Amino acid sequence: MTRAHGPRIRSFADLTDGSPDRHRPVVTLFSGGLDSTYLLHRLTRAGFTDVHAFSADLGAGEDAEELRHTTDHLGVRLHLVDARQVFADAFVRPAIAAQAVYLDTHPVSSSLSRPLIARLALELATELDAAAVIHTANPSQNTLRRLNGALDLLGCTARYGSPYDLDPVDRDQKARELEEIGLPHLSKRVASVDANLWCREFESGVLDDPQDHTVPEHLYTWTARPAEPPADETLEIAFTHGVPTALDGTPLPLPALIETLNHRAGAHGLGRYSGLEHLPGGHKVLELREMPAATLLLKTYRHLETATLAAETVREKMHLEQLWVREALEGRWFGELRTACDRFISSCAARVCGTVRWRLSRGTAQTRAITAADPLYVRDREAWERDRQPR
């Protein structure tokens, strides 16, 4: 179905050619980083008088006061929405069941957050009758097609897109211009950081070159090396119908469970990933992550899944997992194919109930008990062999 919307926003010229109307509301996606702050600066400089900076709290721990300081300084209105619970329940939970790992290198993250951010921003834009929904994805970021794809599938009728698509601006120029207007703190950032409760991701800046890269240690939060290494510990994760529900026997909401695991597993150095992601046209870019909770939750799910589902069911599901991942990666979260895959995966998840006990030590996690509510595994091989003999 063809939807009626204005031309895609792909350059700063698209914002200054008289459309959208500079006196109608415009909604921008705002993370507080260099790109999104610079966009606000360019909009206000171009004479836009009703700019709304939208920021979704997905559990990254952003400083709300710093966000507000920036938007107040630029004279735009900040809309900060707490979306941690819906992100965990509606996006991370199905990703765990789908074993959403990109080409066996790293769990996906921005593929989960972008469709939610797009949906929430579009809801705000609809409420305001905004002329445009503007984001700041660069051509070297897969976020470009994920946000545009989500907005398209959601039926956005306002103009939308990123001015950086065809009009990239050098990081040094952005930092210099922002420093000139009284926002010097952004010039100290050495890499682009994208974070939520599921992942902290690092790219660009000092991490541009796959052949020579080291993440500055100060960027790590969950997996930062403590002054004294923690003692080995045991923890137990419970799943109910495919959903993580308890830690060490204590029921927890999913956001709190993920947050706790990030710190406990991260203290042992678990969950650092590096890998290359493809761009349209075949080129690759480097991305590095820390995802301690994801490491344990995905492994726990797979153990309980194999304990409760027939082998042929698991094999077919593994085929659909990468199809699910591909659709999310390509910006088609709200598309019919990912949704169809999700229905099969959800039907499998209904049987995934039980616990896995882990022993954590520096850099390793080993199972100590896999206990399924309705298991297919054998606990006593000799007794099983005797019982299967014909009478």
Side-chain angles (χ1 to χ4, degrees), residues 141-178:
Q141 295 173 329
N142 288 309
T143 289
L144 186 65
R145 67 184 186 278
R146 290 168 192 164
L147 287 173
N148 286 344
L151 289 166
D152 181 54
L153 287 169
L154 288 167
C156 180
T157 56
R159 294 190 67 184
Y160 64 87
S162 168
Y164 296 122
D165 186 358
L166 297 179
D167 201 0
V169 181
D170 185 85
R171 288 178 65 88
D172 290 339
Q173 179 183 335
K174 296 171 194 167
R176 184 172 61 253
E177 289 189 33
L178 291 175

Side-chain angles (χ1 to χ4, degrees), residues 89-381:
D89 290 341
F91 294 84
V92 174
R93 179 200 55 76
I96 296 171
Q99 292 289 294
V101 175
Y102 177 75
L103 298 182
D104 201 33
T105 58
H106 53 259
V108 302
S109 171
S110 62
S111 299
L112 311 178
S113 63
R114 299 308 186 252
L116 174 58
I117 292 169
R119 190 181 76 190
L120 294 172
L122 182 55
E123 289 172 1
L124 174 62
T126 302
E127 177 186 331
L128 296 170
D129 190 25
V133 179
I134 311 169
H135 59 85
T136 60
N138 293 296
S140 64
Q141 295 173 329
N142 288 309
T143 289
L144 186 65
R145 67 184 186 278
R146 290 168 192 164
L147 287 173
N148 286 344
L151 289 166
D152 181 54
L153 287 169
L154 288 167
C156 180
T157 56
R159 294 190 67 184
Y160 64 87
S162 168
Y164 296 122
D165 186 358
L166 297 179
D167 201 0
V169 181
D170 185 85
R171 288 178 65 88
D172 290 339
Q173 179 183 335
K174 296 171 194 167
R176 184 172 61 253
E177 289 189 33
L178 291 175
E179 186 169 1
E180 289 171 355
I181 63 168
L183 294 172
H185 62 286
L186 294 162
S187 63
K188 299 178 176 63
R189 302 193 178 186
V190 298
S192 176
V193 180
D194 180 61
N196 54 55
L197 61 84
W198 190 234
C199 175
R200 286 176 50 79
E201 179 183 321
F202 319 107
E203 63 180 10
S204 303
V206 298
L207 302 175
D208 268 348
D209 188 357
Q211 295 185 192
D212 183 13
H213 61 272
T214 302
V215 179
E217 199 64 29
H218 74 272
L219 292 179
Y220 288 116
T221 297
W222 300 321
T223 61
R225 294 187 177 90
E228 294 186 12
D232 292 1
E233 65 172 313
T234 299
L235 62 80
E236 186 173 89
I237 301 170
F239 273 75
T240 304
H241 303 304
V243 181
T245 52
L247 190 58
D248 293 332
T250 302
L252 289 172
L254 188 51
L257 190 150
I258 292 171
E259 181 181 4
T260 302
L261 269 181
N262 274 329
H263 291 285
R264 286 185 64 180
H268 295 276
L270 297 172
R272 292 190 180 185
Y273 296 88
S274 62
L276 298 170
E277 273 210 19
H278 74 275
L279 298 174
H283 291 92
K284 312 282 183 174
V285 289
L286 178 68
E287 296 179 350
L288 295 95
R289 293 167 168 77
E290 58 174 351
M291 306 180 71
T295 299
L296 283 187
L297 289 173
L298 289 168
K299 288 181 178 179
T300 299
Y301 188 95
R302 185 66 94 196
H303 282 303
L304 292 173
E305 183 178 60
T306 56
T308 55
L309 296 179
E312 286 304 315
T313 302
V314 175
R315 290 188 184 103
E316 288 306 309
K317 176 177 176 286
M318 290 177 73
H319 166 70
L320 288 179
E321 286 167 0
Q322 281 302 302
L323 188 55
W324 188 104
V325 169
R326 187 190 71 192
E327 291 302 290
L329 285 167
E330 298 298 333
R332 297 189 288 267
W333 176 275
F334 298 110
E336 61 184 25
L337 183 52
R338 192 208 63 84
T339 303
C341 291
D342 207 53
R343 291 194 185 101
F344 174 83
I345 291 168
S346 294
S347 70
C348 295
R351 294 194 57 185
V352 179
C353 302
T355 62
V356 175
R357 188 181 311 131
W358 294 93
R359 184 66 175 172
L360 307 185
S361 56
R362 187 63 195 169
T364 64
Q366 299 181 15
T367 59
R368 287 294 182 266
I370 301 169
T371 306
D374 186 17
L376 297 177
Y377 50 71
V378 173
R379 296 192 66 191
D380 184 334
R381 293 193 185 197

